[in-house]
Amino acid sequence: MEPATLQSLLDLEYFVIFHLVAAIFEPLHYDSFIYWPFLLSSLLIAGASWLYWRRHGIELGWRQIRARFFSARLWWHRSARADYRLFLTNALLVPALFSVFFFEAQDMVDGLNRLLGIARDNAGQDASIAWKLAYTAAFFVAYDFGRFVAHSLLHDVPFLWEFHKVHHSAAVLTPMTAYRVHPVDLTVMKTGGALASGIMAWGFNQMAGGTVNAYLFMGLNVFLWLSNLFGNLNHTPVWLHYGATLNKWLISPAHHQLHHSCETRHLGCNRGFQLAVWDRLYGTLYLPHGAEEQYALGLDDGTTERWHTVRHMLFQPFLGAARVILQRANSASAKDAP
């Protein structure tokens, strides 16, 4: 075997092993949805929620809790197993194929500086505490807004919806459903958050006269860290919302569970991630209330069961998107015909 060929095989082997091991140890990564403190907080909050509903007359015995939240019927459901397989597949595919399209907020700041010809002479200066406090909150708001816009595009642009269908095809919800995303979907979502937060960061740097950094806790913006304490409950059967007033301002796990509903009254609702104000302004806010609302999960076109294989989840969206584009092109041609 040629040395170059052998080296290529060794590089490929290293790439596969490295990224699979990283995926297996995902709960140890501070920037992961399933970072272990967030999983632990979800268990504690779920327990508190159970006590709350029990005191309000909704009895859930241990047998019911085990059957609903801890049974193989949930965690080994065909849909859940598809989540696990796609998670491992994306651990290899995303770095190999799509990382070139990913950028962070700082990349956006640097790009704007180059575009506008602004030298970063103040890069070594640190902004005041007041600027840092304001920036920490503004970054959180901008990042959430950018992701809301990207999420809305995935719902409202027909060919992008074909890729977002993968996430909504989940028939059960577990924390691993957060990873049930097509790489194109992931690219759109990351781009939205980076664009909005990057533009905001650039503006702050210019106004503050120095480099503004957010207050972090365990490597994350403190507001994102706090919201992540609840985040894993978004993809679980644990019904938890924040009450009539806060439900209008903050996205709770119940908001997002209803977002996954295929009932007509819920379709396209609650697209925000942390703040509910964007949905209110856009007209897509659906408020959860009281005890759990009954709804079905999955897609509303009857195709949910077809989406529980990695092959279908990866390739069918491209076929669906091509079909949508061709239909639009044919429709436009028909309108232009004399």
Side-chain angles (χ1 to χ4, degrees), residues 90-106:
N90 276 340
L92 300 177
L93 277 182
V94 171
L97 300 177
F98 286 85
S99 59
V100 67
F101 299 109
F102 291 166
F103 62 94
E104 303 296 339
Q106 187 57 53

Side-chain angles (χ1 to χ4, degrees), residues 3-16:
T5 303
L6 177 60
Q7 185 60 48
S8 296
L9 290 174
L10 289 174
D11 290 344
L12 177 61
E13 181 181 17
Y14 173 80
F15 178 88
V16 171

Side-chain angles (χ1 to χ4, degrees), residues 97-310:
L97 300 177
F98 286 85
S99 59
V100 67
F101 299 109
F102 291 166
F103 62 94
E104 303 296 339
Q106 187 57 53
D107 298 319
M108 188 68 190
V109 173
D110 294 339
L112 286 171
N113 283 332
R114 288 193 298 270
L115 179 66
L116 299 174
I118 297 174
R120 298 188 65 202
D121 296 333
N122 57 7
Q125 305 172 24
D126 198 15
S128 67
I129 293 176
W131 278 111
K132 288 185 72 172
L133 286 171
Y135 176 75
T136 301
F139 185 95
F140 172 76
V141 172
Y143 181 67
D144 195 62
F145 174 70
R147 293 213 298 163
F148 171 82
V149 172
H151 195 185
S152 288
L153 289 174
L154 289 164
H155 275 270
D156 295 340
V157 178
F159 83 89
L160 289 179
W161 167 245
E162 295 298 320
F163 296 98
H164 195 51
K165 272 184 181 179
V166 172
H167 187 62
H168 279 271
S169 65
V172 297
L173 297 178
T174 76
M176 293 303 294
T177 307
Y179 294 93
R180 187 190 181 104
V181 289
H182 194 282
V184 172
D185 182 331
L186 180 61
T187 301
V188 172
M189 196 69 72
K190 285 182 69 70
T191 299
L195 277 174
S197 56
I199 292 171
M200 183 281 305
W202 180 84
F204 257 79
N205 286 344
Q206 304 312 309
M207 291 186 294
T211 301
V212 190
N213 295 309
Y215 282 102
L216 306 178
F217 184 74
M218 298 179 75
L220 288 177
N221 180 295
V222 291
F223 292 112
L224 286 173
W225 195 91
L226 289 171
S227 66
N228 282 353
L229 293 175
F230 295 80
N232 279 300
L233 294 174
N234 289 354
H235 297 105
T236 68
V238 177
W239 181 256
L240 173 67
H241 61 79
Y242 304 144
T245 299
L246 285 180
N247 279 345
K248 298 175 182 178
W249 295 97
L250 299 175
I251 295 292
S252 70
H255 283 82
H256 196 76
Q257 290 156 18
L258 294 175
H259 176 70
H260 276 270
S261 167
C262 63
E263 308 289 344
T264 302
R265 66 187 183 279
H266 298 144
L267 292 179
C269 75
N270 301 344
R271 303 174 184 188
F273 292 89
Q274 275 84 36
L275 301 176
V277 64
W278 317 125
D279 279 295
R280 273 206 287 162
L281 293 172
Y282 197 55
T284 52
L285 184 63
Y286 185 100
L287 295 174
H289 57 276
E292 184 174 6
E293 187 170 342
Q294 297 302 307
Y295 57 91
L297 294 170
L299 299 170
D300 67 334
D301 59 5
T303 65
T304 299
E305 287 301 312
R306 302 179 195 172
W307 290 84
H308 300 330
T309 67
V310 170

Side-chain angles (χ1 to χ4, degrees), residues 83-94:
D83 294 349
Y84 310 148
R85 290 193 294 269
L86 185 61
F87 167 68
L88 293 174
T89 303
N90 276 340
L92 300 177
L93 277 182
V94 171

